[in-house]
Each structure stands twice: as structure tokens, then as C-alpha cells.
């Protein structure tokens, strides 16, 4: 054989010449191979063949038929002629249906149906064959009226482009049943020439004439479109956001290495531009962690899918923007400015001066209460004085001389945190020796 494009290990359209001869210049000199089951290899290089072989399939069925005669049996490359596990057997309480997903978009020319030869041939008549990409846009390939005694080829009135092939009985006896011993779908992968470079010659079989080297195979893939995919948040902290996203769909295994994602974010509070964070290959995980962010800040996260094209990233439509706010985090401890203990006539007690966080009012955590507890060493009695949260000074009343232990307590309430941290309780410990009258003179 011969591969018109690519090499023998990665052949997009392989020739099927008679007697395994070479197709010199894309032409089989001796015609096409006589393949079994009506593959009907044709075209100059005999590259148009059965694109349904071993693909997934489904059908209308009830009872044991789904196990004994599965839908995929119609695509196993075997046509026994008699009812067996190599035949699909749709059977239910409505007109018999069978359909297959080809896994990619194909240009389909004809479909050959093999039925039973051991009886019940009347169940294989009066049916439609349609092709579609979405179920609400089915295109008729052809209608077959007569009974099929062995096999029959239905040639589409014109080549039909689609991913799914659908068989449905339309009339005749036993309309709820049929037997499909093999379905042969003749066609080739469809290449959308509108996505090749401007001015480059292209056809829907061989693709773009200049797509070699670093270009993806046949330039067949469209620009990636992320508009129908989503980004979601896995974990949010005060300085990081972990995201995951839905992979692009419809990209075949051979082309995945040419695709990837650009992840970028911006601070919505500053109105700045997007910051590029990382480029992730399609074949790697659809997960990423954005770090070194600001606490309690609104961010927009955008993912732009791309394909590699002539060593450049060709960006497609971005995913819908995800907007998320980072969490509050743990507030900093208060800053003690000074603690001064005095004893005089009259006694003045202990003077405490402190700074609370200057940005508490603008942050997501609000200081709702502050108080001081203190006691004289050797005693068990704790005294308590409430603080004015709008002030930075407090004088404790006189309570003898000696070593005092002092706690400054802060209670924060959160008006933003939805992850479970509804408040934060913090305290600062101080010890101070009060001065006596002799020491201060």
C-alpha cells in the first residue's frame, strides 16, 4: 500500500490498491482492492472505504436481544447471513432503530446493509438512512423500499457530511424488529477547507496543499472554541485560586498534541489588564492553581484555547470568564505601641497604648469587640475592661503594686467568608511590673 499523506504508522488516508500495488502519485494503476463486505474502495487512490468498522452503536431494544444480538455486532466486519451474535437485532415496541457514532465528521457516499439469509427477510425493508451532527438536523442519505434478501447498497443522493448514521424502519410487517448483520459505511474524514490558510489550495480529501512540517495533519482542525465549555473553582484561599475546566471536545487523539490552553487572570478592583499565568498542553491535566494573589479581592479568570499552527499559537474563542473572590485569610495580630505602668499620688494605674489593624474597616473582617483582662501575680481574680474599638488607648484602674499579667483580646466578625471561618479570636499577652512610690521618686 501507500500513504498519500503522513507515514505508515500515522496514515490519515491509506491507499487500497489491487494486489497491494503502490499508488504512484495518488493513483492506483490496477484499480482497487476487492475488499469483503462491500467496502467498495474507490477514488483515484482507493482511499474511500468503510468508516464504520468497530465504531460504537446503539439501538431500540428490550429483553434479551441487547445481550444476544448487540448493536455493535453490525459493525464487527462479519456478516454470517444467519441470525447470530454477529448481527444486531433491534426489537422493541416501536419502529426499529439503530444508530452509530463515527467519532468524527465524515463525508459519506453510500451505505451497504447486510441482512439475514435464513428467513425473516421481510423485516429488512422500508427504512430511512440519515446522517447528522445533531439530532435536530438529520439529512437523508436515502430511503430503501424493497426487501433485502442478502445485501443492498444505498447510495446517497449526494455525499452527506456528518458524525452519526441512523437507520429507522418506516413501514412493512414486523416494523418493530429487524436484523442488521453488517452495516458498511463508505466515506472519508471530512476536512473543512475554510480553516486552511488564505490562498492555499485545498480539497476535502487531501486537505491543504501546504500543510506539512510543523502544521497539524491536513490542517483539518478548526480553531478551538471554548464558548460552550466551563471553568469551575476547586479551592479558594486568601492568596490562591485552584481551577479546573472542561476539555475541548471533538479533538481526535492524533491531534491532541497540537492543542493547549492559555490561563490568565486580572484584578478587577484595579481595572488592570490580564496577566498571563501559564500555558497548559491539552494532554496534561485540566487543572491549575493560581498563586500569590491578594486577599479578599475580585478576580476574573479567562482560558483561551489554542492550536499550534506553523510554530505559532492560533487562539480560538475563549471560555466564558470566571469571576471569583479570594478569601479573607487570617487577620494580622494587633500591634502594641507601648505599655506603661505608673503608681503615684493619686494612683493612675496602668496605661496601655496599642494599634489595631488600620485596614480592618476596608477588609472583609470587621473588628466587633475588644477587651483587656488582667490580674496581679499571686491572685486568682481576673479583672476585665472593655476597649473602645475606635480608640487606641486604655488606662486600667489602679490595683496595687507588683507584676501584672495582661491579655488584649480581639473578636473579628466576617461578613464575606462562606467557607467556614465566620470569626477569628486573637489575643496578645503582656507582663508588666507596676512601679511603687519609692521607684518613681
Amino acid at each position: 500500500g501507500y500513504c498519500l499523506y503522513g507515514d505508515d504508522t500515522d496514515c490519515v488516508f491509506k491507499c487500497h490498491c489491487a494486489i497491494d500495488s503502490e499508488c504512484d502519485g495518488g493513483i492506483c494503476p490496477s484499480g482497487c482492492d476487492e475488499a469483503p463486505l462491500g467496502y467498495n474502495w474507490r477514488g483515484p487512490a482507493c482511499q474511500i472505504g468503510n468508516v464504520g468498522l468497530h465504531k460504537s452503536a446503539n439501538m431500540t431494544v428490550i429483553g434479551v436481544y441487547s445481550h444476544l444480538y448487540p448493536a455493535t455486532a453490525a459493525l464487527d466486519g462479519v456478516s454470517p447471513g444467519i441470525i447470530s451474535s454477529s448481527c444486531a437485532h433491534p426489537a422493541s415496541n416501536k419502529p426499529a432503530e439503530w444508530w452509530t457514532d463515527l467519532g468524527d465528521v465524515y463525508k459519506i457516499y453510500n451505505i451497504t446493509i447486510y441482512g439475514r439469509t435464513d428467513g425473516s427477510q421481510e423485516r429488512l425493508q422500508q427504512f430511512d438512512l440519515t446522517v447528522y451532527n445533531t439530532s435536530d438536523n438529520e439529512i437523508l442519505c436515502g430511503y430503501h423500499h424493497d426487501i433485502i434478501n442478502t445485501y443492498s447498497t444505498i447510495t446517497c443522493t449526494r455525499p452527506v457530511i456528518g458524525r452519526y448514521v441512523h437507520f429507522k424502519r418506516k413501514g412493512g410487517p414486523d416494523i418493530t424488529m429487524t436484523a442488521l448483520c453488517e452495516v458498511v459505511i463508505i466515506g472519508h474524514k471530512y476536512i473543512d477547507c475554510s480553516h486552511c490558510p488564505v490562498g492555499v489550495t485545498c480539497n476535502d480529501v487531501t486537505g491543504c496543499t501546504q500543510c506539512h512540517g510543523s502544521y497539524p495533519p491536513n490542517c483539518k482542525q478548526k480553531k478551538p472554541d471554548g464558548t460552550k465549555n466551563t471553568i469551575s473553582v476547586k479551592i479558594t484561599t486568601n492568596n490562591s485560586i485552584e481551577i479546573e475546566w472542561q476539555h475541548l471536545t471533538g479533538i481526535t487523539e492524533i491531534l491532541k498534541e497540537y492543542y493547549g490552553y492559555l490561563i490568565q487572570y486580572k484584578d478587577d478592583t484595579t481595572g488592570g489588564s490580564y496577566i498571563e499565568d501559564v500555558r497548559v498542553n491539552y494532554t496534561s491535566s485540566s487543572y491549575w492553581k493560581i498563586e500569590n494573589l491578594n486577599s479578599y479581592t475580585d478576580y476574573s479568570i479567562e482560558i483561551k484555547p489554542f492550536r499550534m499552527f506553523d510554530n505559532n499559537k492560533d487562539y480560538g474563542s475563549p471560555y466564558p470568564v470566571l469571576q471569583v473572590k479570594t478569601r479573607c485569610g487570617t487577620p494580622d495580630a494587633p500591634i502594641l505601641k507601648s505599655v506603661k505602668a505608673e503608681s503615684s499620688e493619686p494612683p493612675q494605674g496602668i496605661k496601655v497604648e496599642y494599634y489595631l489593624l488600620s485596614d480592618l474597616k476596608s477588609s472583609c473582617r470587621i473588628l466587633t469587640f475588644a477587651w483587656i483582662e488582667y490580674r496581679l501575680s499571686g491572685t486568682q481574680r481576673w479583672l476585665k475592661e472593655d476597649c473602645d474599638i475606635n480608640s487606641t488607648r486604655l488606662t486600667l484602674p489602679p490595683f496595687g503594686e507588683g507584676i501584672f499579667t495582661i491579655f488584649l483580646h480581639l473578636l473579628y466578625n466576617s461578613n464575606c467568608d462562606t467557607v467556614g471561618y465566620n470569626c477569628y479570636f486573637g489575643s496578645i499577652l503582656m507582663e508588666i511590673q507596676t512601679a511603687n512610690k519609692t521607684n518613681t521618686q
Side-chain angles (χ1 to χ4, degrees):
Y2 175 83
C3 190
L4 191 62
Y5 184 89
D7 55 37
D8 291 337
T9 61
D10 184 20
C11 191
V12 179
F13 301 115
K14 186 177 181 180
C15 297
H16 294 273
C17 301
I19 60 175
D20 200 28
S21 60
E22 301 290 329
C23 49
D24 186 20
I27 298 175
C28 289
S30 304
C32 299
D33 184 23
E34 294 291 336
L37 298 184
Y39 275 54
N40 298 342
W41 300 117
R42 61 194 184 90
C46 305
Q47 293 171 307
I48 301 172
N50 184 9
V51 298
L53 189 65
H54 301 312
K55 299 295 174 65
S56 62
N58 213 327
M59 62 185 179
T60 52
V61 64
I62 56 176
V64 299
Y65 286 94
S66 61
H67 303 291
L68 297 177
Y69 316 110
T72 53
L75 300 172
D76 62 1
V78 179
S79 179
I82 59 175
I83 191 64
S84 71
S85 59
S86 284
C87 295
H89 202 314
S92 66
N93 54 7
K94 61 181 182 179
E97 292 183 70
W98 175 96
W99 59 95
T100 179
D101 178 359
L102 300 177
D104 208 339
V105 178
Y106 286 81
K107 191 171 187 178
I108 297 168
Y109 294 85
N110 64 62
I111 301 172
T112 300
I113 303 291
Y114 286 78
R116 296 174 58 177
T117 59
D118 62 340
S120 300
Q121 284 95 330
E122 70 278 1
R123 294 176 179 171
L124 190 53
Q125 63 170 305
Q126 300 183 45
F127 58 84
D128 274 345
L129 288 170
T130 57
V131 178
Y132 61 93
N133 283 320
T134 59
S135 58
D136 59 351
N137 190 30
E138 295 193 38
I139 301 174
L140 182 67
C141 168
Y143 168 77
H144 187 86
H145 181 80
D146 299 333
I147 294 173
I148 295 179
N149 291 310
T150 53
Y151 73 88
S152 182
T153 298
I154 295 88
T155 300
C156 300
T157 52
R158 57 181 176 82
V160 183
I161 297 167
R163 173 173 174 168
Y164 302 91
V165 175
H166 185 197
F167 167 100
K168 185 175 183 179
R169 287 282 308 272
K170 306 297 287 186
D174 292 338
I175 193 174
T176 62
M177 304 181 71
T178 194
L180 302 174
C181 290
E182 194 68 18
V183 178
V184 177
I185 304 167
I186 304 299
H188 61 75
K189 283 187 177 180
Y190 176 69
I191 298 173
D192 186 351
C193 290
S194 66
H195 295 276
C196 297
V198 176
V200 172
T201 303
C202 173
N203 65 63
D204 60 18
V205 177
T206 59
C208 305
T209 57
Q210 294 182 10
C211 284
H212 293 281
S214 63
Y215 286 88
N218 292 285
C219 299
K220 70 174 292 291
Q221 71 280 17
K222 299 179 181 180
K223 278 189 175 183
D225 183 4
T227 56
K228 296 182 179 179
N229 297 54
T230 59
I231 316 170
S232 58
V233 176
K234 286 176 65 69
I235 300 174
T236 303
T237 69
N238 62 308
N239 60 7
S240 69
I241 301 172
E242 297 182 35
I243 62 170
E244 60 183 350
W245 59 91
Q246 294 176 324
H247 264 320
L248 297 168
T249 58
I251 300 177
T252 58
E253 193 67 32
I254 190 176
L255 297 175
K256 288 181 179 179
E257 64 179 294
Y258 299 101
Y259 283 83
Y261 309 94
L262 169 66
I263 301 171
Q264 54 186 12
Y265 65 93
K266 68 176 179 178
D267 183 340
D268 290 338
T269 60
T270 62
S273 302
Y274 276 106
I275 300 171
E276 293 186 7
D277 194 57
V278 69
R279 290 180 176 86
V280 181
N281 292 331
Y282 182 93
T283 52
S284 62
S285 174
S286 57
Y287 159 86
W288 190 250
K289 182 177 182 180
I290 305 172
E291 299 181 287
N292 301 317
L293 303 177
N294 297 322
S295 298
Y296 196 54
T297 302
D298 293 311
Y299 285 95
S300 291
I301 300 174
E302 184 182 68
I303 294 180
K304 295 175 65 177
F306 64 82
R307 62 170 181 170
M308 294 304 299
F309 202 83
D310 195 22
N311 285 328
N312 293 313
K313 292 178 177 64
D314 189 15
Y315 288 99
S317 301
Y319 283 52
V321 173
L322 172 69
Q323 293 180 318
V324 61
K325 183 190 292 289
T326 48
R327 281 173 43 188
C328 303
T330 302
D332 295 331
I335 301 173
L336 291 170
K337 182 177 181 182
S338 67
V339 178
K340 186 177 181 181
E342 293 183 351
S343 180
S344 61
E345 295 292 346
Q348 296 179 2
I350 300 173
K351 293 182 178 180
V352 180
E353 189 170 4
Y354 51 84
Y355 290 145
L356 300 180
L357 286 178
S358 60
D359 63 345
L360 278 174
K361 294 298 182 182
S362 61
S363 74
C364 59
R365 295 191 181 274
I366 298 176
L367 178 64
T368 57
F369 195 59
W371 72 99
I372 286 179
E373 287 183 316
Y374 63 103
R375 73 178 180 182
L376 181 63
S377 178
T379 67
Q380 299 298 319
R381 182 185 176 190
W382 285 96
L383 299 179
K384 177 175 177 289
E385 289 290 329
D386 293 340
C387 300
D388 180 355
I389 62 174
N390 296 311
S391 176
T392 59
R393 294 178 179 86
L394 178 68
T395 299
L396 302 179
F399 188 68
E401 300 171 358
I403 299 175
F404 277 81
T405 302
I406 302 173
F407 283 94
L408 171 61
H409 297 284
L410 303 176
L411 180 65
Y412 298 100
N413 254 356
S414 169
N415 65 348
C416 68
D417 206 300
T418 59
V419 187
Y421 296 98
N422 294 319
C423 63
Y424 172 82
F425 178 84
S427 62
I428 291 290
L429 170 64
M430 302 167 282
E431 285 190 347
I432 188 167
Q433 171 75 56
T434 57
N436 55 38
K437 188 173 182 180
T438 302
N439 291 338
T440 58
Q441 291 180 345

